[in-house]
Amino acid sequence: MKNIKRKLEFYEQLFGMFGPGESECQISQFAELWSVTERHVFTLIKALEQDKWIHWHAKSGRNKRASLSCLIEPIEACYLEAHCLAEKGRVDELLNILSFGGRDAGKELQVFLNHASGTTKQVVYIPFHRTIEPLHPHKVLRRTERFLIMQTYQRLTQTENGKLTGDLAYHWAASQDATVWQFQVRSHVLLHDGTALNTEDMVRSLTELTLHPHWASCYQHVSAVKRVSDNLIEVQLNQPDWHLPRMLARAEASVFRLSTAHSLVGSGAFSVDVFSHNMLRLNRNDRYSHQLPIIDRAEVWFYPDWAVSKQCAYNQIRLQMPENTKTLGSECPAVFLYLSNPRVADELKTIAVEDTSNAQQLFEQDNSVYGDSITIDYGDYSQVSDALLCSLIEENDPFSAWLSLLLRLPFHALGLSSEWQDFIQSQLDAIRCEPNLDEAWKLLNALKEWLQEEQILTELQRETFQFEVSERLKGTQVNGFGWSQLNELWVDQV
């Protein structure tokens, strides 16, 4: 294949899907990925094999899966070709291949020259005991996926230690009755693919959020999201809500666009480079609209056996294995809750238990007082009929976390009296109608206390997160997800 730049682009797409290491695949996957015929796939595979970028072992039979191993990073393959062109003085061709995949050739030339002089990248590794779910802001409910969403996308607002600040929006204001909110948003924000993020992306993302079954109960009071101008969007509500900006700082309210490659693209501090069955790679986003991360890359490696050996019993971020580490604790615990109708005997109920090991263990400890059980996906309450054993992660803002949970809990499925259901809804409405955060907190805590007094909601256990990091990693502070913000990490080189 004579066109080196095009070959690099084909290889980068391949690497992005399958990543390093050995994978099973089919020719039809390649044809769809590259938008070529299956016959042409073999020509491309042969060219990549000749350059020793991949190892390919086909198996006989039309539907048999072949074995693929990507042997080199796409950028390293580019640098090998660039070194050859540099030695020959063919600068125009060198700049051309450095621009593969839409890269800025001038910037990449500086990186290439630094690479040639021996500069090393700062990379952190995250060993993990299961495969990460695709990072769609509206679909993920598990805390690690939601944490990664926070690293790869931006939202209108953000919270840290309970303090609300701007993210894509730099100013917002409500009407006198808090039924109309206007957000002034930053211009010149770029997505990871280099295209401009616009107000249409924000309107579409938030509109889809209000319709998604996971989150409709939290945002059902949103009647419309509108673009007013290039720098102004408006959210219209059918009832007052003084705390909407806090809710829009949550992971599910992230802004994204569907790219031409049929994948989501955001504008967060890190971009997804590889998402295979073996690992997830996040690269620093040099176009990020806030302070740029110091580390170059974070890699999440999946290995199910770690769950059995307890090597991932708690979260870890490392520079290498083995190494000296330190263990940090979190002040924001996971809270395990039991939700039921106290007027129905427990032995007559079918208990929906979240599929996390902690929730399952709690159920097993006390299953003598419960009836039958079903296992549900974490955070998905659609199958609850009688009772629920679930958990709450306070993330970066306990107020919005509790408010979101109480809005999403399926009180209607428990067979509570209409008087109880009406009272719960009236209290949730009152919380939203209270403009003072401290007073709203008092109302929220009063509702929690009432639910516990009536034995509708019972707190079973609190568990703090354990977080292990390399001693050389600085800037580590455990957040409400049980992780540490990746864009605040840096490596002590001393």
Side-chain angles (χ1 to χ4, degrees), residues 292-303:
L292 294 181
I294 297 175
I295 63 170
D296 297 282
R297 178 186 299 167
E299 293 185 352
V300 187
W301 286 85
F302 317 134
Y303 187 52

Side-chain angles (χ1 to χ4, degrees), residues 191-193 195 201 204 256-266:
L191 293 162
H192 294 147
D193 61 6
T195 59
D201 296 315
R204 179 192 42 75
F256 59 89
R257 181 191 297 166
L258 183 65
S259 73
T260 54
H262 303 293
S263 59
L264 301 188
V265 59

Side-chain angles (χ1 to χ4, degrees), residues 235-451:
V235 181
Q236 300 175 357
L237 310 176
N238 56 33
Q239 65 183 69
D241 186 356
W242 286 102
H243 308 291
L244 179 70
R246 284 188 171 271
M247 295 294 287
L248 296 182
R250 291 172 53 79
E252 69 269 13
S254 296
V255 175
F256 59 89
R257 181 191 297 166
L258 183 65
S259 73
T260 54
H262 303 293
S263 59
L264 301 188
V265 59
S267 58
F270 290 86
S271 63
V272 176
D273 179 45
V274 176
F275 204 151
S276 71
H277 73 283
N278 292 321
M279 60 97 82
L280 165 67
R281 174 183 292 164
L282 304 179
N283 284 345
R284 178 178 63 198
N285 174 20
D286 291 328
R287 303 183 179 99
Y288 187 45
S289 58
H290 298 298
Q291 182 176 340
L292 294 181
I294 297 175
I295 63 170
D296 297 282
R297 178 186 299 167
E299 293 185 352
V300 187
W301 286 85
F302 317 134
Y303 187 52
D305 288 353
W306 277 329
V308 178
S309 65
K310 304 300 182 183
Q311 292 188 51
C312 277
Y314 43 84
N315 297 337
Q316 304 175 53
I317 298 183
R318 295 174 171 271
L319 295 175
Q320 60 188 46
M321 296 178 69
E323 64 177 340
N324 293 329
T325 61
K326 56 186 177 183
T327 301
L328 307 175
S330 170
E331 297 181 357
C332 299
V335 184
F336 292 87
L337 304 166
Y338 177 60
L339 180 74
S340 69
N341 185 342
R343 297 177 179 176
V344 178
D346 282 332
E347 60 269 17
L348 300 178
K349 300 171 184 173
T350 298
I351 316 299
V353 184
E354 286 182 332
D355 59 1
T356 64
S357 58
N358 302 81
Q360 294 290 324
Q361 289 171 8
L362 278 174
F363 175 77
E364 291 297 328
Q365 290 171 9
D366 296 319
N367 63 4
S368 60
V369 301
Y370 297 135
D372 296 331
S373 70
I374 60 170
T375 299
I376 61 172
D377 291 339
Y378 177 85
D380 184 356
Y381 309 140
S382 60
Q383 298 182 59
V384 175
S385 58
D386 298 321
L388 169 67
L389 199 164
C390 65
S391 62
L392 165 75
I393 309 299
E394 293 188 344
E395 300 185 353
N396 287 337
D397 182 32
F399 176 81
S400 62
W402 274 102
L403 180 57
S404 175
L405 177 71
L406 292 173
L407 287 166
R408 294 181 61 233
L409 284 178
F411 294 108
H412 61 280
L414 306 181
L416 300 181
S417 67
S418 58
E419 289 82 7
W420 271 357
Q421 292 190 57
D422 290 343
F423 177 77
I424 293 170
Q425 187 58 54
S426 69
Q427 296 307 296
L428 291 171
D429 292 343
I431 292 168
R432 285 172 156 173
C433 286
E434 174 52 60
N436 183 281
L437 180 62
D438 291 336
E439 294 301 317
W441 250 123
K442 291 178 182 178
L443 292 173
L444 194 152
N445 285 326
L447 175 57
K448 288 163 54 180
E449 290 173 4
W450 180 85
L451 289 168

Side-chain angles (χ1 to χ4, degrees), residues 44-207:
L44 297 174
I45 288 175
K46 184 177 180 180
L48 298 178
E49 274 194 301
Q50 288 177 342
D51 287 323
K52 298 183 179 180
W53 294 356
I54 67 169
H55 174 73
W56 167 265
H57 178 67
K59 298 179 182 178
S60 59
R62 181 171 180 80
N63 294 318
K64 293 289 185 179
R65 288 186 171 272
S67 172
L68 168 73
S69 295
C70 295
L71 306 177
I72 187 173
E73 298 284 333
I75 194 64
E76 293 296 334
C78 176
Y79 288 163
L80 287 176
E81 299 288 347
H83 277 296
C84 295
L85 294 172
E87 290 178 1
K88 298 175 182 178
R90 293 156 61 177
V91 178
D92 289 344
E93 293 178 53
L94 186 151
L95 290 172
N96 180 52
I97 67 168
L98 287 175
S99 68
F100 82 101
R103 291 168 171 79
D104 183 311
K107 291 182 179 179
E108 293 301 325
L109 179 59
Q110 295 180 23
V111 177
F112 168 67
L113 295 175
N114 288 333
H115 176 272
S117 64
T119 299
T120 58
K121 288 183 176 293
Q122 293 191 9
V123 182
V124 299
Y125 301 96
I126 302 174
F128 206 62
H129 62 277
R130 61 173 175 82
T131 301
I132 295 294
E133 297 174 6
L135 300 181
H136 192 303
H138 299 168
K139 297 180 180 179
V140 298
L141 298 170
R142 301 179 190 276
R143 67 181 173 99
T144 295
E145 278 82 351
R146 285 174 63 81
F147 162 72
L148 293 169
I149 288 287
M150 302 296 278
Q151 313 304 303
T152 51
Y153 299 91
Q154 288 182 273
R155 291 141 293 281
L156 292 181
T157 56
Q158 57 186 341
T159 54
E160 186 172 355
N161 298 323
K163 182 180 179 181
L164 180 67
T165 59
D167 191 358
L168 290 172
Y170 58 87
H171 178 75
W172 51 93
S175 60
Q176 288 188 346
D177 61 355
T179 59
V180 178
W181 284 88
Q182 290 191 333
F183 295 84
Q184 296 182 40
V185 298
R186 301 174 187 275
S187 57
H188 310 302
V189 175
L190 297 180
L191 293 162
H192 294 147
D193 61 6
T195 59
L197 179 69
N198 53 50
T199 48
E200 286 87 350
D201 296 315
M202 301 176 195
V203 169
R204 179 192 42 75
S205 297
L206 295 179
T207 300

